[in-house]
Structures are given as structure tokens and as C-alpha cells.
């Protein structure tokens, strides 16, 4: 519901622009290439179009690492793929009011959630007052585990590198991108889902370090990190080659 987002988008649009951390020496496409890609009108990662990327299976989404910057752009250059475009304040403002971009972001989020073993449910009521503390207001969407969560755990939720799991970095990007582009309810819902997974023992203990970063990216620092209610055994992929 694009019109229903109007006031919250206005809040994002009225915020002071963040400085763009793009660097000067990276050979990257201009920021408006992001706009064309998300509108379905131009190429993205390695020349792929939006519809192609959204149609990739989970194996392709796991093995290719330069598409997430196109589906979920931010104003921070990718450390590992500095050739990827970076969101500028001007393009951000244009995206905030573009219904094609909003639809593309919603579809991209659905694909990414499927990859993680999660799904989004639309609730009946939207929050009538977006000006309230974002940590306390009710979300019109809810993100939760789906039936594939267990099968996706070995790829997305085990510790398999010194930093945890590269997909946790992707989650950080997605949270920030959703917030920058006005999908505040979705960003909140994703963080609350992650928080619940942590509290219920569905994520490994090491995830607490990422949970703090996710909370910051979702701009929910007023929420305390919950205690874990119970411990579960998880498959381990701790050996780093």
C-alpha cells in the first residue's frame, strides 16, 4: 500500500542526508544505474536484469556475491565488491517516491527471506502514528520462520567463518537498505524476527555479536538484547579452510 506509507516515507525523506561513503577511486556504475535496475529498465550485476536475479534459486543466491548490493542498495560502499554502485542522497530521494522501486524491493525481500528460510505475513492493521518511538510501535507486517528454516540452517545460520557467516553481513545490508528506502515496517519486522530467533535458541550463541549490529542497522537501539530462553543444538561448520 504505497499511499499508506506516505507519512513514513516523508519522515525518511525529511531526515538529514547521510554522507555517502563511496570513496573516490572505485570503478563503479553511477547511482542512477540502481534506479534503472530496480525499475526493471536496465542491467544490474554482471549484466543481469531484475527479473533474472529474482528468479535465481537458493544455490545461485548463495554462490554469487555481487547481486545483493543491487537488490538492496545503501550509501556505504561494499568492502568486498567496491565495483558495486552506491546509493546517493539524490537517488535515494527519487527511490523513496517510486512505486516501481517499492514493488521491486518488496519482491527482493521476499526472495531473500525465502533464501533464509523465513517468510513475511501481512497483518490486518497498520500503525496509525508513525511518529511514535520506532522500537515500540506495532508493525503491519510480521516476519517468521517458514517450513524450510531447518533445511536452510546449514547455509545461512551456522558459524562457518571467523566473522560468523557471510549471510549475516547480507542481513545487515538489507536492514539498512530497507530503512533508507522507506520500508520501515519491513526493517522492524526483520529485526524483531531475528531477535526472536536468538531468544528462542534458533541461532547459535555467536550470533549475539551480529544481533547488536542488526539492531543498530534497524535503528532500534532502544530495545535491549533479550536473554536466550533455551539452548538448542545446531550443526557446526566451524572449520575454516
Amino acid at each position: 500500500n504505497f499511499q499508506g506509507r506516505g507519512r513514513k516515507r516523508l519522515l525518511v525523506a525529511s531526515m538529514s542526508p547521510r554522507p555517502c561513503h563511496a570513496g573516490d577511486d572505485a570503478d563503479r556504475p553511477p547511482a542512477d544505474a540502481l534506479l534503472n535496475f530496480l525499475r526493471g529498465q536496465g542491467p544490474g550485476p554482471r549484466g543481469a536484469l531484475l527479473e533474472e536475479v529474482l528468479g535465481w534459486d537458493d544455490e545461485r543466491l548463495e554462490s554469487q556475491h555481487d547481486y545483493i548490493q543491487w537488490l538492496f542498495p545503501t550509501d556505504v560502499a561494499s568492502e568486498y565488491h567496491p565495483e558495486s554502485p552506491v546509493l546517493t542522497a539524490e537517488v535515494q530521494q527519487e527511490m523513496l517516491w517510486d512505486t516501481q522501486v517499492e514493488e521491486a524491493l518488496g519482491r527482493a525481500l521476499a526472495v531473500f527471506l525465502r533464501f533464509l528460510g523465513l517468510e513475511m505475513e501481512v497483518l490486518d492493521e497498520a500503525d496509525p502514528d508513525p511518529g511514535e518511538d520506532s522500537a515500540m510501535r506495532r508493525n503491519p507486517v510480521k516476519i517468521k520462520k517458514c517450513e524450510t528454516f531447518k533445511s536452510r540452517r546449514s547455509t545461512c545460520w551456522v558459524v562457518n567463518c571467523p566473522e560468523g557467516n557471510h549471510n549475516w553481513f547480507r542481513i545487515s545490508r538489507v536492514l539498512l537498505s530497507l530503512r533508507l528506502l522507506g520500508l520501515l515496517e519491513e526493517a522492524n519486522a526483520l529485526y524483531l524476527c531475528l531477535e526472536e530467533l536468538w531468544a528462542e535458541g534458533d541461532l547459535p550463541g555467536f550470533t549475539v555479536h551480529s544481533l547488536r549490529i542488526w539492531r543498530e542497522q534497524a535503528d532500534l537501539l532502544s530495545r535491549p538484547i533479550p536473554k536466550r530462553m533455551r539452548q538448542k543444538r545446531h550443526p557446526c561448520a566451524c572449520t575454516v579452510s
Side-chain angles (χ1 to χ4, degrees):
N1 185 347
F2 181 76
Q3 290 183 340
R5 299 185 191 272
R7 290 180 64 193
K8 290 183 179 179
R9 288 183 175 275
L10 186 60
L11 285 174
V12 175
S14 64
M15 294 176 184
S16 298
R18 289 160 41 110
C20 181
H21 303 287
D24 298 324
D25 56 348
D27 182 17
R28 62 171 59 89
D32 56 7
L34 288 168
L35 192 59
N36 292 331
F37 172 71
L38 290 172
R39 285 172 172 170
Q41 299 172 358
R46 307 187 194 184
L49 299 174
L50 175 65
E51 292 300 322
E52 295 179 76
V53 177
L54 294 179
W56 289 351
D57 60 20
D58 290 341
E59 183 177 352
R60 179 75 178 272
L61 294 175
E62 169 64 14
S63 62
Q64 187 163 329
H65 302 285
D66 57 357
Y67 68 89
I68 199 77
Q69 299 84 1
W70 289 84
L71 288 182
F72 298 100
T74 74
D75 55 2
V76 180
S78 170
E79 179 180 355
Y80 300 101
H81 292 279
E83 76 283 358
S84 299
V86 176
L87 187 65
T88 63
E90 293 76 18
V91 171
Q92 178 195 17
Q93 293 297 314
E94 192 166 355
M95 285 186 175
L96 279 169
W97 302 99
D98 191 303
T99 56
Q100 288 179 293
V101 170
E102 180 185 33
E103 180 183 1
L105 287 169
R107 294 175 64 199
L109 179 59
V111 169
F112 186 65
L113 292 176
R114 182 205 74 204
F115 171 76
L116 295 175
L118 306 175
E119 62 184 0
M120 185 163 58
E121 173 188 4
V122 179
L123 304 180
D124 292 335
E125 297 182 16
D127 171 29
D129 185 4
E132 295 178 1
D133 182 352
S134 62
M136 300 302 173
R137 62 179 180 244
R138 180 181 178 184
N139 290 321
V141 296
K142 178 180 176 63
I143 294 176
K144 58 185 181 180
K145 290 189 296 185
C146 65
E147 60 184 12
T148 62
F149 180 80
K150 186 175 181 179
S151 65
R152 298 301 302 156
R153 179 178 284 137
S154 62
T155 297
C156 301
W157 301 114
V158 301
V159 177
N160 57 18
C161 68
E163 295 80 13
N165 186 305
H166 78 100
N167 288 303
W168 302 352
F169 289 99
R170 290 174 167 179
I171 291 172
S172 298
R173 166 176 282 274
V174 170
L175 285 167
L176 177 58
S177 179
L178 293 175
R179 190 162 60 83
L180 289 176
L181 296 177
L183 277 71
L184 305 181
E185 299 94 343
E186 288 84 349
N188 282 7
L190 178 54
Y191 174 76
L192 294 178
C193 174
L194 296 165
E195 184 184 83
E196 183 177 357
L197 293 175
W198 157 259
E200 294 187 351
D202 284 309
L203 304 184
F206 191 79
T207 321
V208 67
H209 305 291
S210 293
L211 189 64
R212 295 189 181 101
I213 297 172
W214 297 335
R215 182 180 60 172
E216 179 180 358
Q217 298 295 68
D219 195 26
L220 294 174
L221 288 172
S222 62
R223 292 186 65 87
I225 299 294
K227 293 182 179 180
R228 285 163 72 81
M229 296 169 56
R230 62 180 182 271
Q231 300 293 325
K232 296 181 179 180
R233 292 184 176 273
H234 301 287
C236 183
C238 300
T239 302
V240 180
S241 57

